[in-house]
């Protein structure tokens, strides 16, 4: 049984010999090509110089690059669409109009409200940040009931009801009859 003790050592030695001697620098290697850290040169095309357009100062303007033909006319830039949809007073409100971050204001509280389309008890997931009032801290859901936005807390219990005041501004009252609004 002496061979059993040396079997792992013999196996390891046999496997070590299976590698290429040249790969570990112990034998001859094909050195016909010199080693180099650089790539061979590639045919290049001359680079043309052109002036960049002036910087855009109007945040609603879209910059356009000059045309390839210097004799061609340029077209005026079209104004960009606003990043967030505007909810007009009395307009039909959709769930996607409410997604994202809002500033929430009620009494002396001025904090952040975030609304997503993740299903949650009481509607969809909502959260607040920086609120001092326990009822505003407890907002965890929102729902849309017709044109009314309902902010809800634990177990889906309503905390506040708001309606569009136009121009991405919602006004209403908390369940304790305190004025509340959110806007962006």
């Amino acid at each position: 049984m002496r061979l059993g003790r040396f079997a792992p050592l013999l196996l390891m030695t046999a496997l070590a010999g299976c590698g290429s001697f040249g790969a570990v620098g112990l034998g001859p290697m094909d050195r016909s090509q010199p080693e180099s850290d650089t790539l061979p040169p590639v045919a290049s095309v001359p680079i043309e110089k052109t002036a960049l357009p002036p910087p855009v100062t109007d945040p609603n303007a879209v910059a356009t690059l000059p045309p390839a033909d210097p004799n061609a006319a340029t077209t005026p830039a079209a104004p960009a669409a606003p990043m967030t949809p505007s909810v007009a007073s009395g307009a039909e409100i959709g769930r996607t109009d409410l997604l994202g971050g809002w500033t929430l204001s009620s009494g002396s509280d001025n904090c952040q409200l975030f609304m997503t389309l993740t299903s949650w008890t009481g509607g969809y997931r909502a959260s607040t940040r920086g609120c001092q009032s326990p009822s505003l801290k407890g907002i965890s859901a929102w729902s849309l009931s017709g044109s009314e936005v309902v902010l809800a807390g634990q177990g889906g219990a309503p905390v506040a009801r708001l309606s569009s005041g136009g121009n991405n501004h919602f006004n209403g009252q908390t369940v304790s009859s305190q004025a509340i609004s959110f806007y962006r």
Side-chain angles (χ1 to χ4, degrees):
M1 284 283 152
R2 286 185 77 140
L3 188 58
R5 285 180 38 190
F6 294 108
L9 182 61
L10 290 173
L11 180 60
M12 190 169 61
T13 306
L15 290 175
C18 291
S20 167
F21 282 118
V24 292
L26 297 176
M29 289 181 57
D30 181 18
R31 301 243 185 225
S32 60
Q33 295 182 357
E35 289 185 34
S36 173
D37 290 341
T38 60
L39 296 173
V42 179
S44 63
V45 180
I47 299 173
E48 295 179 24
K49 289 184 180 179
T50 58
L52 292 174
V56 177
T57 56
D58 180 7
N60 291 326
V62 176
T64 58
L65 294 176
D69 180 9
N71 296 328
T74 59
T75 52
M83 292 293 290
T84 57
S86 178
V87 180
S89 181
E92 183 71 25
I93 302 169
R95 291 179 300 181
T96 56
D97 295 329
L98 299 169
L99 299 180
W102 298 83
T103 300
L104 180 63
S105 181
S106 179
S108 62
D109 247 334
N110 198 18
C111 51
Q112 299 296 310
L113 169 68
F114 302 94
M115 294 191 272
T116 69
L117 279 180
T118 304
S119 294
W120 202 256
T121 303
Y124 299 102
R125 182 78 172 113
S127 61
T128 58
R129 185 180 318 158
C131 298
Q132 301 303 314
S133 161
S135 62
L136 297 183
K137 279 183 181 180
I139 293 174
S140 62
W142 69 274
S143 63
L144 189 57
S145 177
S147 62
E148 184 178 65
V149 178
V150 178
L151 299 177
Q154 283 286 345
V159 171
R161 297 179 186 280
L162 303 98
S163 297
S164 176
N167 200 20
N168 286 324
H169 200 105
F170 291 81
N171 301 307
Q173 289 188 337
T174 63
V175 292
S176 61
S177 300
Q178 185 173 7
I180 186 169
S181 65
F182 64 85
Y183 55 91
R184 57 176 163 205

